[in-house]
Amino acid sequence: MIQDDLADALRAALSRTGVDPPDAVGLERPARREHGDWSSNVALATAKKAGRNPRELATEIAKALNDDLPQHVSLVEVAGPGFVNFQLLDSWLHDVLRDVAEQGETIYARSDVGGGLKVNVEFVSTNPTGPVHAGGGRWAAYGDSLGRILERNGYAPHREFYLNDRGVQMQLFAQSLVARKEGRPVPDDGYRGEYVAEFAAEMPDDADPMEWGYERVKRDVAETMERIGVHFDTWFSERSMVSSGAIEATLQELRDRGVVYEADGAVWLRTTDFGDDKDRVLVKSDGEPTYVLPDIAYHRDKFNRGFRLLIDVWGADHHGYMPRLKIGVQALGHDPDELEIILGQFVTLVRGGEELQLSKRSGTVVTLAEVIDEVGPDAARLTFLLQSIDTKQVFDIDLVRSQAMENPVYYVQYAHARIASIERVAAERGVQRQPLADVDLSLLTHERELDVLRSLGELPEVVRMACVDRAPHKVTTWVRELAGRFHGFYHDCYVMGTDVPPELTQARLWLVEAARVGLAIGLDLLGVSAPDSM
């Protein structure tokens, strides 16, 4: 990428000024285009150690670079207290087009930084007591998209759903099914959603309500996940750890490590040894494990299955529990950084300007399946991925359903449909795209053309940062920007016509193809289709 070339040039220039260059050279895009295409603070970062004035060092660096300009660089300038700014020729963007076109959807914006590391990504995980509510779609879209981004960066992601299928909630759900089956009121702490009545009507008279209800909910959740394009590699049952003895084995391992003791008839984990404010109970005095022990056992099982990094996606209401689980992992002898817990904020669902409730217990649940019915899986996924998961989100059903440019989903997919329409018109007119090597890309000089190429040039770094920051919304932001720039190009730059020279048509056809590749990559990472017509 151009950043790598500029960083190498800066290191060489620093060496010529007698300063040892750092391994990492910072480069960023200036907020204002008049300040250049790229800017570096390398003089500011190295001046103090070298005993130099930052601005004077930056001036020497700029002179060294201007005396022997790197490829694609037209001018190097100094700004402020010592920033080194690069003005680039359009040729670097033409090289971006070549890279995109030659590497295609399979290779472009792909890296191997993960080195094949096995990663377990657990998300959506709920009590199997009813359908996934609408807000759960945010976790589904986020977790699956994160898995796609990890994979494109060379990791080996594994998607997992943890079924909390043990405990009081399962019993209450079974009792609620039976009550609705028999026409009686549900228990005070039971489940009142209309789905309970629907499930109860399906339940055979001789069925075990606990087991039948469990399998019915699991099937409903799996079908909804498939509809939104999410496939789990593993559905992990909490109860399986009871039958396999995994919970007892975990407790014994903790005993063997000397981090467990007994007091007041209970079994405690010495979490204060790891910085906690007090020790935590693993087994209560009645012999029943607290939720801490099964959770530690579950993560122990993940490590035993060969995963080297665990990523859990939880709701923000679990904030206080996060440190305890990381301590539990550490108590097993693992680096706590091998467990990442991502806390997501909840979704407010709005229809007709009014907020909808999302509670399975109260009976006012709006399910994710209903949202998919109304807006479609693509619109649901992309909407859930518009913002960082650690921010609250308002999901306006009416806006997402609308086919208007104000709808970001429609706006992005319509850009791909326009690309397809250009390709269809070219085919109808018998205009074939010539081999890339035979096309003069230097004809692409219009600012709308260059803006599209600038976006395409940013994609590899966007995908890398989306991986590093665990932030799929960065891809969404990029896709929206590319779509906007392509709409501008479509409006201002005719690809074909009597007023467009044939050689410019060829260059623009390749620009259109590069935009198609970029959009296809971005939308695939988001799990959203790229339609040819709207």
Side-chain angles (χ1 to χ4, degrees):
M1 295 189 294
I2 188 67
Q3 299 99 302
D4 298 328
D5 295 338
L6 296 179
D8 289 343
L10 284 166
R11 290 190 192 95
L14 272 170
S15 295
R16 291 200 292 275
T17 65
V19 175
D20 291 334
D23 292 333
V25 174
L27 280 158
E28 61 181 25
R29 295 178 180 276
R32 298 171 62 179
R33 287 289 306 282
E34 60 265 29
H35 291 165
D37 294 283
W38 290 93
S39 179
S40 176
N41 67 345
V42 69
L44 294 163
T46 58
K48 183 176 181 180
K49 183 178 180 181
R52 306 285 294 274
N53 177 280
R55 171 113 187 158
E56 291 176 359
L57 179 57
T59 301
E60 289 185 46
I61 293 171
K63 183 179 185 307
L65 291 169
N66 282 317
D67 287 346
D68 184 17
L69 285 171
Q71 185 181 15
H72 302 307
V73 177
S74 61
L75 180 65
V76 183
E77 298 176 305
V78 177
F83 290 99
V84 179
N85 293 345
F86 292 87
Q87 299 281 354
L88 301 184
L89 301 167
D90 294 344
S91 56
W92 84 275
L93 294 170
H94 302 147
D95 276 0
V96 167
L97 194 158
R98 291 185 183 91
D99 288 343
V100 177
E102 291 170 356
Q103 295 174 24
E105 296 172 44
T106 304
I107 299 175
Y108 190 66
R110 185 179 292 276
S111 76
D112 192 34
V113 296
L117 188 74
K118 291 182 65 177
V119 184
N120 183 294
V121 185
E122 182 216 325
F123 56 106
V124 183
S125 305
T126 60
N127 295 328
T129 55
V132 178
H133 65 63
R138 189 178 200 187
W139 273 251
Y142 174 87
D144 184 65
S145 182
L146 179 59
R148 292 166 184 256
I149 291 167
L150 287 166
E151 186 173 15
R152 197 161 190 97
N153 282 278
Y155 292 87
H158 181 96
R159 297 164 177 82
E160 187 151 312
F161 190 113
Y162 182 57
L163 292 154
N164 302 103
D165 53 7
R166 187 181 68 90
V168 175
Q169 296 309 316
M170 289 294 298
Q171 297 170 10
L172 287 171
F173 178 56
Q175 293 169 12
S176 301
L177 283 173
V178 172
R180 295 303 292 264
K181 181 80 173 177
E182 297 176 352
R184 295 185 287 103
V186 300
D188 290 342
D189 293 331
Y191 290 81
R192 289 169 168 74
E194 186 57 34
Y195 71 90
V196 179
E198 295 173 4
F199 288 1
E202 298 176 20
M203 185 172 65
D205 294 338
D206 59 350
D208 179 330
M210 179 84 76
E211 292 305 315
W212 186 91
Y214 168 64
E215 292 298 334
R216 180 64 182 85
V217 170
K218 182 180 175 183
R219 185 172 75 250
D220 184 271
V221 172
E223 290 172 353
T224 302
M225 291 296 103
E226 290 288 349
R227 287 186 62 195
I228 203 170
V230 177
H231 171 77
F232 287 97
D233 300 297
T234 297
W235 295 78
F236 192 98
S237 162
E238 181 181 354
R239 288 188 298 182
S240 71
M241 293 192 297
V242 176
S243 59
S244 70
I247 294 177
E248 290 81 358
T250 300
L251 181 57
Q252 186 59 51
E253 181 174 342
L254 292 170
R255 289 185 190 277
D256 294 343
R257 290 180 176 275
V259 294
V260 165
Y261 66 95
E262 296 186 14
D264 302 323
V267 180
W268 299 72
L269 180 64
R270 298 182 187 276
T271 53
T272 51
D273 289 354
F274 302 92
D276 200 0
D277 59 344
K278 63 180 180 180
D279 293 339
R280 304 292 173 173
V281 176
L282 293 178
V283 182
K284 295 180 289 186
S285 57
D286 62 2
E288 183 70 18
T290 64
Y291 51 82
V292 178
L293 181 56
D295 283 352
I296 295 174
Y298 173 45
H299 287 77
R300 174 178 177 268
D301 183 271
K302 291 181 185 181
F303 284 120
N304 288 345
R305 282 185 274 150
F307 297 108
R308 301 276 63 86
L309 174 63
L310 313 181
I311 299 177
D312 294 353
V313 185
W314 294 353
D317 55 339
H318 289 79
H319 179 270
Y321 182 57
M322 179 173 66
R324 288 176 230 167
L325 184 56
K326 289 180 77 71
I327 286 174
V329 165
Q330 190 175 3
L332 288 171
H334 292 279
D335 185 335
D337 289 339
E338 292 177 2
L339 169 62
E340 294 181 19
I341 299 175
I342 296 169
L343 299 177
Q345 292 290 338
F346 296 102
V347 176
T348 298
L349 196 67
V350 174
R351 183 194 287 121
E354 296 185 0
E355 180 179 341
L356 305 178
Q357 299 300 311
L358 302 176
S359 170
K360 285 189 288 186
R361 297 290 294 278
S362 69
T364 57
V365 63
V366 177
T367 68
L368 176 58
E370 291 176 282
V371 172
I372 296 172
D373 287 341
E374 289 205 45
V375 306
D378 283 343
R381 280 193 68 134
L382 197 145
T383 301
F384 284 127
L385 294 170
L386 285 173
Q387 301 165 232
S388 173
I389 196 169
D390 62 0
T391 62
K392 294 181 180 179
Q393 182 176 43
V394 175
F395 190 114
D396 188 329
I397 291 177
D398 297 329
L399 174 61
V400 178
R401 289 182 60 186
S402 67
Q403 290 194 345
M405 287 305 221
E406 292 76 20
N407 177 354
V409 183
Y410 182 82
Y411 188 73
V412 169
Q413 289 189 316
Y414 191 48
H416 193 275
R418 277 181 158 172
I419 290 171
S421 73
I422 292 171
E423 294 172 344
R424 286 194 297 269
V425 171
E428 291 168 1
R429 297 183 182 180
V431 179
Q432 294 186 339
R433 197 171 60 233
Q434 300 301 310
L436 183 60
D438 298 337
V439 175
D440 183 4
L441 298 181
S442 68
L443 297 174
L444 300 174
T445 59
H446 194 286
E447 192 59 25
R448 294 291 198 184
E449 298 166 334
L450 300 178
D451 274 345
V452 171
L453 294 177
R454 288 187 184 97
S455 284
L456 292 171
E458 294 168 4
L459 181 56
E461 179 67 7
V462 168
V463 174
R464 188 185 73 82
M465 291 309 300
C467 179
V468 170
D469 296 339
R470 313 294 190 235
H473 74 278
K474 291 180 183 290
V475 178
T476 313
T477 299
W478 178 87
V479 164
R480 295 177 69 185
E481 178 185 87
L482 177 61
R485 290 181 171 183
F486 187 83
H487 287 310
F489 162 79
Y490 183 89
H491 183 269
D492 292 349
C493 303
Y494 287 178
V495 176
M496 294 162 284
T498 55
D499 295 335
V500 183
E503 57 272 20
L504 181 56
T505 288
Q506 287 297 320
R508 286 178 172 172
L509 283 173
W510 274 108
L511 175 64
V512 170
E513 169 61 9
R516 184 199 66 78
V517 169
L519 273 177
I521 292 171
L523 290 173
D524 180 69
L525 291 174
L526 300 174
V528 175
S529 69
D532 288 343
S533 61
M534 298 282 289

